[in-house]
Amino acid sequence: MRNLRFRSAATATTTALVAALALTACGQSDAVGAASKPDTTTASTASTSTPKDEATEKPQDSTGENAQTASNNSSSGKGSSSNKGADKPSDKSNARTTCTGDNTKVTVTNVTRPINHLLVTATNTGSKNCDAYYAPLLGFDDAQSVTQINEDSQPQAVVTLSPGQSAYASIALGGGDGSPTTAAYKLSVSFSGRDNQGSVGSVANLTLPKGTKTNNDTSVSYWQATMADALTW
């Protein structure tokens, strides 16, 4: 009977030990499983992020935004050097010089009205506008001084001639109410400069109409824009 008691106690002790080892083994297995089990929350979150799609993303190149900006600038008149050139064209008509015998054709003709008058015409033959300053400087034949100028005929502005246009000046041969008495054959026509300090450019040498006569009171008007204005003097 004593032997049986000792075996029962030993068996109970062995059973308890096996159970304890089994529990320990299960705990370790669960711990290992928990460590090896992936974090589903983290994996799910990572899978919901949208990767960069290079195929659908707008490319950035020289024909993108810069091209659009250039197109907008072009339509508004900005940007390219060619457009700037169009905004500010080179206008040769604004270039000007002084009218002289070098860039004009000068003629002298007789007129019927008013009597005892000649008409001097200067036509711009150059490619630029030219200014006809003051009055023509006239010399009859071998005169030592220029013909006097009728100061009352001064216009309000300098006469500017575009290419092909003409300026006019009248010569009152008799001056006042006098009658011309001295025969004249040749006429030299010079042009005044802007400062009115003598002549500029070459001289136009003309042959006077047949029968032209002058006297001491012969005078010439300022350059005028029209023939009618010139012949009022």
Side-chain angles (χ1 to χ4, degrees), residues 16-226:
L17 180 59
V18 171
L21 291 173
L23 289 173
T24 301
C26 290
Q28 290 176 349
S29 177
D30 290 341
V32 171
S36 63
K37 185 178 182 179
D39 186 352
T40 58
T41 303
T42 303
S44 175
T45 302
S47 65
T48 58
S49 63
T50 304
K52 185 175 181 181
D53 187 356
E54 294 182 356
T56 59
E57 187 176 64
K58 183 179 179 180
Q60 179 64 35
D61 57 23
S62 61
T63 60
E65 181 180 356
N66 292 339
Q68 182 63 35
T69 302
S71 176
N72 292 339
N73 287 341
S74 176
S75 63
S76 62
K78 301 177 181 179
S80 68
S81 59
S82 61
N83 285 338
K84 290 183 179 180
D87 291 340
K88 298 181 179 180
S90 178
D91 187 357
K92 293 183 179 180
S93 64
N94 289 332
R96 55 205 298 160
T97 185
T98 301
C99 296
T100 69
D102 301 309
N103 56 19
T104 62
K105 179 181 179 180
V106 184
T107 61
V108 58
T109 55
N110 202 355
V111 294
T112 56
R113 291 287 187 275
I115 62 171
N116 296 326
H117 275 67
L118 298 176
L119 181 68
V120 178
T121 303
T123 303
N124 184 354
T125 58
S127 60
K128 299 179 181 179
N129 292 352
C130 74
D131 294 320
Y133 292 107
Y134 306 101
L137 304 177
L138 305 183
F140 287 92
D141 293 331
D142 297 325
Q144 298 301 309
S145 61
V146 297
T147 302
Q148 61 185 332
I149 297 170
N150 184 347
E151 295 294 340
D152 292 336
S153 64
Q154 184 174 353
Q156 294 182 350
V158 174
V159 177
T160 299
L161 305 180
S162 298
Q165 288 187 327
S166 300
Y168 307 90
S170 65
I171 302 173
L173 295 172
D177 295 328
S179 297
T181 57
T182 305
Y185 304 95
K186 295 185 180 300
L187 179 69
S188 63
V189 181
S190 300
F191 290 80
S192 297
R194 185 174 182 177
D195 58 3
N196 198 24
Q197 299 297 312
S199 63
V200 294
S202 62
V203 179
N205 293 301
L206 309 174
T207 299
L208 289 165
K210 187 177 180 178
T212 298
K213 294 182 179 182
T214 65
N215 67 16
N216 292 334
D217 294 327
T218 296
S219 64
V220 63
S221 73
Y222 275 70
W223 290 113
Q224 309 292 330
T226 68

